[in-house]
Amino acid sequence: MNSMNLDLSAVLLDEHRIQARVREIGTQIAQEYKDSVPVLIGIMKGGFVFLADLCRSITIPLEIDFMAISSYNGASSTGAVKIRKDIDTNIAGRHVIVVEDIVDSGLSLQYIREYLQNHGPASLKVCVLLDKPRAHKMETSFDYVGFQIDNDFVVGYGLDYQNRYRNLPYIGILKEEIYS
Ligand code: IMP
Ligand code: MG
C-alpha cells in the first residue's frame, strides 16, 4: 500500500477511472483538432501529470508549453495571481488548449484566459481534470471537464498539499487533520 494513503479520508477517483476519462477526452480533442496543430499549455505545477497522460492519448501532431502561476497558500485561496513562468511559444493565430488540474473559485483560470487571449490565439479552449462547481466565485464554464466534484480538498495525480502528494497515481480526499 502507498504510505500516503494514510493521510486520505477516502479515494475519490481511482487510477482506472482517471485513465479511462483522460483517454475519452484525448480522443475527443484529436477529432476536434484534426485539421490543425494545437498548442497545449499545461498549468504548472498541478497540471503536469494530467497533461502527460492527456497528450499521449491525443493521436494528432501538437505542441506543448507550460505556464506557472501561483495563487494558493496551503489549502485556502488568496485570490492573488502571479505569473511565475511564462509561455515560450508565440500563440498568435494558433489553436490553444489550456490544461489545468482543478478549478475552485475560477479566479486562476479567469486570469490565465484573459492573459492568453491578449496574445491573439485563433481559438482558446480550456480543459480541466476536476471542477468544483459549488466553489465558483464567478459564472464560468469549460470546454472539456474530466470530473465534477464536491468542495473537498483533494490531492494526488498532480494535485498537492504543500507540494506533496502529487505523485499519488489516484485522487483522494485529504484528511482534515492534515491541513487544519
Ligand atoms: P482557483 O483559482 O480558486 O480556481 O484555484 C485553482 C487552483 O487552486 C488549482 O489550480 C490548484 O492549484 C488549487 N486547488 C484548488 N482546489 C484544490 C484542491 O482540492 N486540491 C489541491 N489544489 C487545489
Ligand atoms: Mg493549479
Side-chain angles (χ1 to χ4, degrees):
M1 189 182 95
N2 195 311
S3 68
M4 288 177 282
N5 225 350
L6 298 170
D7 296 344
L8 305 179
S9 59
V11 172
L12 189 64
L13 298 164
D14 65 27
E15 270 184 270
H16 184 78
R17 265 191 89 186
I18 297 171
Q19 296 301 334
R21 184 70 186 116
V22 170
R23 274 197 300 274
E24 276 176 10
I25 297 174
T27 305
Q28 196 185 340
I29 289 176
Q31 277 164 5
E32 292 178 12
Y33 288 83
K34 61 181 185 314
D35 300 320
S36 65
V37 179
V39 184
L40 267 54
I41 300 182
I43 308 302
M44 305 302 290
K45 301 173 191 168
F48 86 103
V49 178
F50 179 36
L51 178 68
D53 284 342
L54 180 68
C55 74
R56 284 175 293 176
S57 69
I58 302 174
T59 52
I60 58 165
L62 55 77
E63 294 175 27
I64 291 175
D65 205 339
F66 295 99
M67 221 179 132
I69 65 154
S70 66
S71 61
Y72 264 69
N73 292 318
S76 71
S77 174
T78 61
V81 180
K82 263 192 204 145
I83 293 187
R84 302 212 177 261
K85 190 227 166 283
D86 204 345
I87 48 171
D88 307 316
T89 315
N90 177 4
I91 58 165
R94 302 295 304 274
H95 294 283
V96 172
I97 306 172
V98 175
V99 179
E100 171 70 306
D101 53 356
I102 186 167
V103 177
D104 190 75
S105 69
L107 291 167
S108 308
L109 213 47
Q110 169 177 269
Y111 179 87
I112 291 165
R113 258 180 174 151
E114 275 177 31
Y115 179 80
L116 294 175
Q117 199 64 62
N118 287 335
H119 288 69
S123 69
L124 180 61
K125 288 198 177 184
V126 175
C127 175
V128 303
L129 180 66
L130 304 175
D131 183 21
K132 296 181 178 173
R134 279 182 222 156
H136 290 183
K137 294 198 174 127
M138 63 200 54
E139 191 62 33
T140 185
S141 67
F142 316 104
D143 305 281
Y144 309 97
V145 177
F147 305 92
Q148 291 197 327
I149 65 169
D150 281 334
N151 272 354
D152 302 302
F153 193 82
V154 294
V155 294
Y157 198 73
L159 290 148
D160 74 305
Y161 172 63
Q162 293 186 342
N163 248 329
R164 295 201 195 172
Y165 306 102
R166 297 190 195 278
N167 56 322
L168 269 178
Y170 44 87
I171 292 169
I173 299 173
L174 194 62
K175 281 184 182 163
E176 244 173 73
E177 67 206 55
I178 305 285
Y179 59 85
S180 56

